[in-house]
Amino acid sequence: MTPSDVTTNKMGAADYRAGFVAMVGRPNTGKSTLTNAMVGHIIAITSSRPETTRRVIRGVVTTHDGQLILVDTPGLHRPRTLLGLRLNDMVRDALADVDAALLCLPADEKLGPGDRYLMNLLAHQKVRTVAAVTKIDRVSHEALMTHLAALGSLEGIDHIVPVSAFTGANMDELVSVLVSQMPVSPPLYPPHAVSDVSEDVMIAELIREAALMDVRDELPHSIAVTVDDIVEVGADGSLRDVHIGQSAPVADAQNAQAAHLRIHASIHVERDSQKGIVIGHRGAKLAHIRKKARQSINKLLGVHVQLDLHVKVSPSWQRDPKMLERFGF
């Protein structure tokens, strides 16, 4: 009997549990990295810059006794733009519709005002809270024990699990603890699903991730990406437009009918000077972004991708309500 058979057979059991978990924390506390590690697929982009996560991304973890829908949220921060305000609103909205919250607290950082604000917010929302002490591979055993002892005295946290997404330490325990907090329920997603995010959103995020790798020190917050057109090219040369926003959810994505995909996307910046930074000398930086993004998209979709990127200036888009609506915020 295979693991998938075990999972399928248990799904009808009376004690099966399923529900939603909000991944919350300050910026750069490891939420997206932990989400990817738990799901086993890259569904949320990561970088060392604040505000990397700009959307509520749902990842699905299915085990033999339960299913978790992880709601990866932007890091709660002090907003300086309309975009920042809307990202914080996403966090608060996500907390209203979940069964538990996973609060990410880095092992190599002391508890700060932002962490306490989040704990107060979770207590106010009356959300069951599990604390994941992340990045334990970065500290000594003695330092970790001291950190855990300090957290143990905090009120409002039901469980504390030290983990490392990098080494995999205690990941199974974390999943087990979270499943125990879920209500008794049949699975909410098919057993092999990994996310409900549409392919065009994932493509845009992978392009933005590639861009952040190259220009993270110059303009990390000023970059947005839109997917303008996707054309499926069949093995016989036939063309079929893929309707943006209606492509299949990412779930071990396969596009077996397509010989390749042609994707046209735009990288948006706020000023002409930023456009030059993204393009680089003789287009070298944009070419590198295209190469990195195409590799990630190929891996995501399981099909060869032809990627066409353009850089556009969208003045002050982070403060423009109409542009934010267009970009999906």
Side-chain angles (χ1 to χ4, degrees), residues 46-47 208-217 288 292 296:
T46 60
S47 89
R208 187 165 66 91
E209 181 179 49
L212 286 173
M213 291 179 185
D214 270 33
V215 299
R216 61 184 180 183
D217 294 327
H288 187 253
K292 294 293 293 183
S296 298

Side-chain angles (χ1 to χ4, degrees), residues 14 24-25 217 314:
V24 297
D217 294 327
S314 300

Side-chain angles (χ1 to χ4, degrees), residues 55-69:
R55 301 176 185 276
V56 172
I57 303 291
R58 291 185 179 87
V60 184
V61 180
T62 302
T63 71
H64 70 284
D65 57 356
Q67 187 179 77
L68 305 172
I69 295 85

Side-chain angles (χ1 to χ4, degrees), residues 226 228 266 268 312 314 321-329:
T226 56
D228 307 315
S266 298
H268 299 264
K312 298 181 179 179
S314 300
K322 290 184 179 180
M323 291 301 297
L324 288 173
E325 290 286 341
R326 179 186 170 193
F327 294 164
F329 301 110

Side-chain angles (χ1 to χ4, degrees), residues 19-284:
F20 291 81
V21 179
M23 308 286 287
V24 297
R26 291 179 289 103
N28 291 337
T29 53
K31 298 182 299 298
S32 296
T33 301
L34 191 58
T35 298
N36 291 338
M38 293 172 71
V39 173
H41 289 260
I42 296 177
I43 63 164
I45 69 171
T46 60
S47 89
S48 60
R49 307 300 301 187
E51 295 184 34
T52 296
T53 300
R54 289 180 175 171
R55 301 176 185 276
V56 172
I57 303 291
R58 291 185 179 87
V60 184
V61 180
T62 302
T63 71
H64 70 284
D65 57 356
Q67 187 179 77
L68 305 172
I69 295 85
L70 306 178
V71 185
D72 186 24
T73 65
L76 200 65
H77 63 289
R78 189 184 301 275
R80 297 178 180 175
T81 64
L82 180 57
L83 171 63
L85 287 169
R86 293 194 177 181
L87 295 182
N88 281 351
D89 287 343
M90 288 182 192
V91 180
R92 296 186 180 92
D93 290 345
L95 291 176
D97 298 309
V98 296
D99 301 290
L102 182 61
L103 176 61
C104 294
L105 302 170
D108 58 349
E109 298 178 23
K110 292 183 179 180
L111 201 69
D115 300 312
R116 297 184 187 281
Y117 176 83
L118 266 170
M119 285 188 281
N120 289 335
L121 179 62
L122 293 169
H124 179 73
Q125 297 274 15
K126 298 181 180 179
V127 179
R128 291 187 228 174
T129 301
V130 175
V133 179
T134 59
K135 308 179 184 181
I136 62 172
D137 52 283
R138 297 186 180 183
V139 299
S140 67
H141 178 74
E142 292 75 16
L144 177 60
M145 291 300 101
T146 301
H147 193 64
L148 292 176
L151 294 178
S153 62
L154 298 174
E155 296 183 0
I157 295 179
D158 298 290
H159 298 273
I160 300 174
V161 184
V163 297
S164 170
F166 180 71
T167 66
N170 299 332
M171 295 296 293
D172 289 342
E173 179 185 351
L174 178 61
V175 171
S176 179
V177 167
L178 288 171
V179 167
S180 72
Q181 303 299 300
M182 297 298 101
V184 174
S185 167
L188 304 174
Y189 283 78
H192 300 297
V194 297
S195 179
D196 64 356
V197 180
S198 63
E199 288 177 356
D200 61 289
V201 169
M202 281 303 307
I203 290 167
E205 287 290 271
L206 291 173
I207 295 170
R208 187 165 66 91
E209 181 179 49
L212 286 173
M213 291 179 185
D214 270 33
V215 299
R216 61 184 180 183
D217 294 327
E218 294 100 330
L219 57 155
H221 306 308
S222 297
I223 291 178
V225 177
T226 56
V227 175
D228 307 315
D229 187 41
I230 303 177
V231 177
E232 186 180 274
V233 183
D236 58 356
S238 60
L239 303 178
R240 183 179 73 87
D241 286 334
V242 177
H243 185 54
I244 301 298
Q246 296 297 318
S247 52
V250 177
D252 296 329
Q254 297 293 328
N255 292 277
Q257 302 302 315
H260 68 274
L261 294 177
R262 293 177 186 167
I263 299 173
H264 300 270
S266 298
I267 298 176
H268 299 264
V269 295
E270 295 186 294
R271 297 189 297 274
D272 285 324
S273 60
Q274 295 172 341
K275 180 176 180 179
I277 291 172
V278 174
I279 294 174
H281 182 61
R282 295 184 177 178

